[in-house]
Short mmCIF file of all heavy atoms in Angstrom, two decimals:
data_model
loop_
_atom_site.label_atom_id
_atom_site.label_comp_id
_atom_site.label_asym_id
_atom_site.label_seq_id
_atom_site.Cartn_x
_atom_site.Cartn_y
_atom_site.Cartn_z
N GLY A 27 0.84 9.43 -5.65
CA GLY A 27 1.30 10.82 -5.29
C GLY A 27 2.06 11.49 -6.38
O GLY A 27 2.16 12.71 -6.37
N LEU A 34 -11.15 12.08 -12.48
CA LEU A 34 -11.51 11.56 -11.22
C LEU A 34 -12.98 11.54 -10.90
O LEU A 34 -13.41 10.66 -10.18
CB LEU A 34 -10.80 12.48 -10.21
CG LEU A 34 -10.83 12.07 -8.67
CD1 LEU A 34 -10.21 10.81 -8.46
CD2 LEU A 34 -10.18 13.15 -7.84
N ARG A 51 -18.90 6.96 -1.56
CA ARG A 51 -17.69 7.79 -2.00
C ARG A 51 -17.75 8.11 -3.51
O ARG A 51 -17.42 9.24 -3.87
CB ARG A 51 -16.40 7.05 -1.66
CG ARG A 51 -15.18 7.92 -1.84
CD ARG A 51 -15.00 8.94 -0.73
NE ARG A 51 -13.71 9.60 -0.79
CZ ARG A 51 -13.59 10.76 -1.58
NH1 ARG A 51 -14.68 11.31 -2.11
NH2 ARG A 51 -12.48 11.44 -1.60
N LEU A 513 -8.44 4.77 -0.93
CA LEU A 513 -7.22 5.44 -0.58
C LEU A 513 -6.60 6.26 -1.75
O LEU A 513 -6.09 7.33 -1.49
CB LEU A 513 -6.21 4.47 -0.06
CG LEU A 513 -6.60 3.70 1.26
CD1 LEU A 513 -5.57 2.73 1.67
CD2 LEU A 513 -6.85 4.73 2.43
N ILE A 514 -6.71 5.68 -2.94
CA ILE A 514 -6.17 6.39 -4.11
C ILE A 514 -6.94 7.71 -4.31
O ILE A 514 -6.41 8.75 -4.55
CB ILE A 514 -6.36 5.54 -5.38
CG1 ILE A 514 -5.33 4.40 -5.35
CG2 ILE A 514 -6.24 6.33 -6.65
CD1 ILE A 514 -5.57 3.24 -6.43
N VAL A 515 -8.34 7.62 -4.14
CA VAL A 515 -9.15 8.84 -4.26
C VAL A 515 -8.77 9.84 -3.23
O VAL A 515 -8.68 11.04 -3.50
CB VAL A 515 -10.67 8.43 -4.28
CG1 VAL A 515 -11.49 9.74 -4.19
CG2 VAL A 515 -10.99 7.69 -5.52
N ASP A 516 -8.60 9.36 -2.00
CA ASP A 516 -8.22 10.29 -0.90
C ASP A 516 -6.90 10.97 -1.18
O ASP A 516 -6.81 12.15 -0.92
CB ASP A 516 -8.21 9.52 0.42
CG ASP A 516 -9.60 9.12 0.87
OD1 ASP A 516 -10.55 9.67 0.45
OD2 ASP A 516 -9.61 8.14 1.75
N ARG A 517 -5.93 10.24 -1.72
CA ARG A 517 -4.67 10.82 -2.01
C ARG A 517 -4.74 11.84 -3.13
O ARG A 517 -4.17 12.81 -3.02
CB ARG A 517 -3.71 9.69 -2.43
CG ARG A 517 -2.30 10.17 -2.90
CD ARG A 517 -1.60 11.00 -1.87
NE ARG A 517 -1.25 10.27 -0.76
CZ ARG A 517 -0.19 9.61 -0.45
NH1 ARG A 517 0.78 9.66 -1.31
NH2 ARG A 517 0.01 8.92 0.64
N MET A 518 -5.56 11.55 -4.13
CA MET A 518 -5.75 12.41 -5.25
C MET A 518 -6.44 13.77 -4.86
O MET A 518 -6.22 14.86 -5.46
CB MET A 518 -6.50 11.79 -6.37
CG MET A 518 -5.70 10.72 -7.15
SD MET A 518 -6.68 10.15 -8.47
CE MET A 518 -5.40 9.15 -9.43
N THR A 519 -7.35 13.60 -3.93
CA THR A 519 -8.15 14.79 -3.62
C THR A 519 -7.70 15.51 -2.38
O THR A 519 -8.33 16.56 -2.01
CB THR A 519 -9.65 14.37 -3.26
OG1 THR A 519 -9.68 13.33 -2.32
CG2 THR A 519 -10.28 13.86 -4.60
N SER A 520 -6.58 15.05 -1.80
CA SER A 520 -6.10 15.66 -0.53
C SER A 520 -5.25 16.86 -0.89
O SER A 520 -4.78 17.01 -1.96
CB SER A 520 -5.29 14.62 0.30
OG SER A 520 -4.19 14.20 -0.46
#
Side-chain angles (χ1 to χ4, degrees):
L34 185 62
R51 187 73 176 93
L513 295 177
I514 289 170
V515 171
D516 290 340
R517 174 58 62 95
M518 286 182 169
T519 56
S520 61

